[in-house]
Amino acid sequence: MINHENLYDDLKVLFLSSGYLTEDESCGYDELMFAVRKDYLFAYLKSDEIKTLEDMEKWLREEYTSDDTYGLYQQAKQEGEIVFEKRVWNNRRAVFYEVGEGLRDGLEEEEKIYIRTFDYDTAKQAFEVERDRLLEDDSFFLKDEEPDAEQSFDFGYAKIRYENDDGDFYELYLRQVEVEEEGRNYK
């Protein structure tokens, strides 16, 4: 259990290169910063070489690698032990997430954006709310069409697209949008 009075003493922050999570070089972030409880990290690392918290601290300073971090990250994520995670962008690019819809009905075409945010979880939740609303809407004009759906929440996009033979379409999407900016940004 995390002691809120000594929150930072109870957590260990680690970094993981984006290359361990995606092969997409244009993903827009360089590293993933995440935190786990110190007790969890110690239990994960405990071995013949790491018997005390001091041994763990020494190992973290002198020996730990991205390969070690990736295994820890995967297990901690699966077990729900990640306290927070944030993407760390380089000096020139930042990524935000956009949830919106595109519509073409006859010659009319329009786009509506529901949300733009740096917080991926907020965008994913907004996408899921709009997706559920769409699927429950009996008056939706392309309801009889089979949707093409594409989701890769791990890589920051999702899309549901309906299209008929007349070329009319409706698309609900979650996508990453990359922008130029200066300075390292922890969002």
Side-chain angles (χ1 to χ4, degrees), residues 3-187:
N3 175 349
H4 293 287
E5 291 179 12
N6 298 316
L7 180 63
Y8 298 110
D9 293 337
D10 290 341
L11 297 179
K12 283 294 176 188
V13 175
L14 302 158
F15 290 85
L16 180 61
S17 168
S18 65
Y20 281 87
L21 302 173
T22 178
E23 293 177 11
D24 180 6
E25 292 179 9
S26 65
C27 68
Y29 67 98
D30 292 328
E31 297 173 297
L32 180 73
M33 175 176 61
F34 68 98
V36 295
R37 293 178 301 109
K38 186 189 314 185
D39 296 351
Y40 178 82
L41 181 59
F42 180 66
Y44 177 84
L45 295 173
K46 198 168 183 180
S47 65
D48 290 339
E49 293 83 33
I50 301 175
K51 296 178 182 174
T52 66
L53 288 174
E54 291 77 24
D55 293 340
M56 180 182 75
E57 295 292 342
K58 181 180 178 192
W59 181 84
L60 286 170
R61 279 191 311 275
E62 298 174 8
E63 298 180 40
Y64 120 90
T65 67
S66 290
D67 287 339
D68 300 317
T69 305
Y70 180 67
L72 168 66
Y73 175 77
Q74 293 291 61
Q75 183 171 328
K77 188 158 185 86
Q78 184 178 25
E79 295 175 358
E81 290 290 337
I82 302 229
V83 177
F84 74 84
E85 63 181 69
K86 295 292 178 184
R87 292 178 171 121
V88 179
W89 291 280
N90 70 18
N91 289 336
R92 295 184 0 234
R93 294 178 295 164
V95 170
F96 67 87
Y97 300 93
E98 182 175 86
V99 175
E101 65 182 8
L103 170 68
R104 181 173 55 224
D105 185 6
L107 298 175
E108 300 284 321
E109 206 168 314
E110 64 183 74
E111 185 171 3
K112 179 179 179 182
I113 296 170
Y114 292 111
I115 187 172
R116 285 185 176 137
T117 179
F118 285 106
D119 182 40
Y120 176 71
D121 292 330
T122 300
K124 181 179 173 187
Q125 183 178 13
F127 176 83
E128 289 170 340
V129 165
E130 291 303 320
R131 178 197 62 203
D132 294 346
R133 178 194 56 78
L134 174 67
L135 296 176
E136 293 172 5
D137 184 359
D138 291 331
S139 66
F140 177 56
F141 80 109
L142 293 171
K143 188 72 171 175
D144 296 334
E145 302 295 327
E146 279 296 312
D148 292 327
E150 192 177 339
Q151 286 189 170
S152 182
F153 287 129
D154 289 339
F155 297 114
Y157 69 86
K159 178 171 67 169
I160 298 175
R161 183 182 174 97
Y162 291 86
E163 190 165 0
N164 66 16
D165 294 337
D166 296 334
D168 299 332
F169 76 87
Y170 173 85
E171 179 176 83
L172 177 66
Y173 61 83
L174 161 63
R175 65 182 172 207
Q176 290 182 345
V177 178
E178 189 173 307
V179 293
E180 296 289 322
E181 82 169 18
E182 294 183 22
R184 198 165 192 183
N185 192 350
Y186 299 85
K187 295 217 179 191

